[in-house]
Amino acid sequence: MKKTNTHEHSQNQLPLPHMYHPSHDLSGIHWITVEQAFEMVLSHAKVLESEVKPIDSALGQTLAEDLLSPINIPPMANTAMDGYAVRWADVAGASAKSHKHLKVSGLLVAGGRPDKRVLPGESIRIMTGAPIPPGADTIIPFEDTDEESRKVNEKQIKEISILKVFAKGACVRPAGEDITAGQKVLSKGTVLSAADIGVLASVGKSSVRVVRRPSVAIISTGDELVEPGTKLGVSQIYNSNSHAIAAAVRLAGGEPVILGIARDNAASLNQKVDQALKHDMLLTSAGVSHGDYDIVQDTLNKRGKVDLYSVRMRPAKPMALGVLKRAGKAIGLLHLGLPGNPVSSLVAFEQFGRPALLKMQGKQPSARPTVEAILDNDITNHDKRRVFARVTVYKKNGQYRAKLTGSQGSNLLTSVARANGLAVCPEDVSVLKAGQIATVQMISWNEEVF
Ligand code: AMP
Ligand code: MG
């Protein structure tokens, strides 16, 4: 990702309110802003404890302690080139017109032991990565010697002529050039990259202490749902939310555990929730509107404290949030109740669930990078909510443009599948016209497009 682009900046730079003040409408629903919802969800998410893992399983996890190198890297001075290890005093001033002649007293390969000293007037033939033998201080690459012409006539090269020199120490990689013993090489809080894993290995670490990944239980609710792979009956639909959310959880660094479908009754939901208690977070989908069968908040509030909110956003207005009690554990289970409509469910996870999971992993809970893009279509906002419009962002004439992926119904899952961004129309703007600039949260970044 091109982080240097000036049009990009990270979201959530605005200071968040310290308190939330839900306003109530006539039905008693708590209306809250997107920022309030974000802050509430985040306030429930706590950084998880650390664990020691093999380095090959730690990619993307957060380092839980500073890493000091026990050794120098490289551990010993070695040669950066194939060539001849020489004493500078013997070769200084060598040129095409004034060759220096040396005896070749041995051969040293990478991994070889530097047992033999280079004496005055001598050299050792040496391969990249081999240790610098005692006595030598400079490497002369093959191409700066007459080795090629000698190879034609001599079976074993016993003498070599130096045709060119740079400086004392040339082509020598000193011990500790990259890392010195005792140096801090990776700081606590680093999210381990491929190169970081390499650094760990290079200093000899086979395991590393990192913040544990959150384990996330996922329950879909609904009498109409069946699992993909089975036959669809009358009035049934496939459960797509569990699977989309599980995938999104994995991308956010969590370990999803799909617990299946709970029916729209308390007994069925309770039975599923019993299985969720050992995890770090519970995500439910659906049943958080205000219909007769929206039983999630009612049921779960009896197992702790779970409230229902209306977030000033479109899609993904309804949200349940709370903490469930669990026997024997001081910390309750964080429950985020996502809306049922597939688009809403993913957008709510993106805005609130993902940041919470990042925080639990000791990462910055900031949302995606954003770009400022010229709109190809109008985005309308008729009821003062924040609109997250599904768009495809692309670059044209050096500028980002955003095109709606189609109809914006919250049931139209392909509108998210085709999108790489969510264009934001603020609450107080009734329409963003085509040609105007919108801030777009990049939910994925296709390098080929940019
Ligand atoms: P609800 O929040 O229960 O009123 O559900 C809102 C809409 O989302 C309804 O049309 C549901 O059929 C649909 N829905 C609920 N759960 C899922 C799911 N797991 N997968 C796909 N669609 C769902
Ligand atoms: Mg339902």
Side-chain angles (χ1 to χ4, degrees):
M1 181 163 297
K2 301 166 190 69
K3 286 185 184 138
T4 49
N5 192 300
T6 50
H7 290 303
E8 294 162 22
H9 50 87
S10 99
Q11 213 212 351
N12 300 318
Q13 286 171 331
L14 295 174
L16 294 168
H18 293 297
M19 302 269 287
Y20 72 96
H21 305 283
S23 56
H24 301 248
D25 66 11
L26 292 177
S27 61
I29 301 166
H30 301 324
W31 273 100
I32 55 173
T33 64
V34 174
E35 278 75 17
Q36 286 167 338
F38 180 88
E39 196 198 7
M40 281 167 54
V41 177
L42 271 273
S43 72
H44 286 295
K46 302 280 177 278
V47 181
L48 297 175
E49 68 279 17
S50 63
E51 61 181 353
V52 175
K53 284 185 89 176
I55 56 169
D56 295 325
S57 318
L59 179 66
Q61 286 184 260
T62 309
L63 200 59
E65 59 194 7
D66 286 343
L67 184 96
L68 309 184
S69 175
I71 54 167
N72 283 325
I73 299 295
M76 70 291 165
N78 67 95
T79 172
M81 298 283 281
D82 294 337
Y84 287 85
V86 301
R87 305 166 73 99
W88 178 248
D90 286 344
V91 299
S95 70
K97 288 191 187 125
S98 165
H99 299 176
K100 302 280 180 182
H101 306 286
L102 298 172
K103 199 176 151 227
V104 180
S105 65
L107 172 70
L108 203 47
V109 296
R113 293 176 65 94
D115 295 333
K116 199 163 186 182
R117 174 167 275 276
V118 175
L119 299 171
E122 289 185 358
S123 69
I124 285 179
R125 198 162 179 266
I126 192 167
M127 304 299 150
T128 303
I132 305 295
D137 53 23
T138 302
I139 302 296
I140 310 294
F142 287 158
E143 47 272 38
D144 295 342
T145 71
D146 66 349
E147 180 175 286
E148 272 306 305
S149 57
R150 282 180 191 269
K151 268 187 180 162
V152 180
N153 306 316
E154 300 171 29
K155 208 159 169 242
Q156 204 201 340
I157 299 171
K158 296 218 174 75
E159 275 188 12
I160 194 75
S161 299
I162 311 299
L163 316 181
K164 192 174 165 192
V165 287
F166 283 107
K168 185 174 181 181
C171 299
V172 172
R173 304 194 282 213
E177 183 185 23
D178 191 11
I179 299 166
T180 51
Q183 183 188 328
K184 191 209 288 185
V185 275
L186 293 172
S187 299
K188 180 177 174 177
T190 301
V191 178
L192 294 174
S193 67
D196 294 332
I197 302 288
V199 168
L200 287 164
S202 78
V203 302
K205 299 281 179 192
S206 60
S207 60
V208 62
R209 181 167 284 282
V210 289
V211 179
R212 186 166 73 70
R213 286 187 184 282
S215 152
V216 182
I218 297 167
I219 300 172
S220 280
T221 69
D223 285 344
E224 74 279 33
L225 303 175
V226 289
E227 283 300 343
T230 57
K231 203 171 163 339
L232 211 52
V234 178
S235 308
Q236 292 183 321
I237 61 167
Y238 286 121
N239 167 20
S240 61
N241 286 351
S242 287
H243 306 285
I245 295 302
V249 163
R250 197 175 288 289
L251 284 175
E255 286 174 347
V257 179
I258 294 176
L259 293 179
I261 299 163
R263 298 305 169 194
D264 287 321
N265 63 74
S268 174
L269 181 57
N270 274 321
Q271 189 248 325
K272 290 287 179 201
V273 171
D274 288 342
Q275 298 170 46
L277 295 178
K278 60 175 182 283
H279 300 284
D280 301 306
M281 189 195 272
L282 166 62
L283 293 173
T284 58
S285 97
V288 287
S289 304
H290 297 274
D292 290 350
Y293 294 89
D294 291 326
I295 50 106
V296 169
Q297 186 258 344
D298 241 14
T299 308
L300 298 193
N301 196 36
K302 297 192 174 87
R303 307 183 63 144
K305 173 130 182 62
V306 174
D307 291 310
L308 210 51
Y309 299 94
S310 286
V311 187
R312 284 197 193 284
M313 65 192 283
R314 175 187 303 279
K317 179 185 76 158
M319 177 179 96
L321 178 67
V323 177
L324 307 184
K325 287 190 204 126
R326 38 189 180 183
K329 291 210 183 187
I331 297 175
L333 175 67
L334 168 56
H335 166 236
L336 177 59
L338 303 168
N341 276 306
V343 175
S344 312
S345 174
L346 274 174
V347 170
F349 177 79
E350 175 66 33
Q351 300 305 317
F352 312 121
R354 180 177 173 274
L357 287 179
L358 294 179
K359 183 177 172 189
M360 292 168 108
Q361 295 168 76
K363 301 179 184 179
Q364 282 301 320
S366 53
R368 308 285 189 175
T370 60
V371 298
E372 304 295 311
I374 302 167
L375 292 172
D376 283 351
N377 321 80
D378 292 357
I379 300 175
T380 51
N381 180 7
H382 57 81
D383 57 0
K384 294 199 180 309
R385 293 197 238 160
R386 187 174 305 175
V387 178
F388 293 93
R390 279 77 74 198
V391 294
T392 305
V393 173
Y394 61 100
K395 215 166 191 182
K396 193 175 171 188
N397 302 329
Q399 282 180 311
Y400 291 121
R401 301 197 63 101
K403 188 183 175 61
L404 289 181
T405 55
S407 296
Q408 295 289 302
S410 58
N411 54 327
L412 305 173
L413 192 47
T414 58
S415 73
V416 201
R418 281 194 299 270
N420 59 359
L422 297 173
V424 179
C425 179
E427 292 84 334
D428 55 356
V429 175
S430 59
V431 59
L432 276 177
K433 288 273 189 200
Q436 282 189 285
I437 288 179
T439 299
V440 185
Q441 299 178 358
M442 298 307 297
I443 53 174
S444 69
W445 193 284
N446 184 343
E447 297 284 346
E448 282 166 29
V449 177
F450 299 99

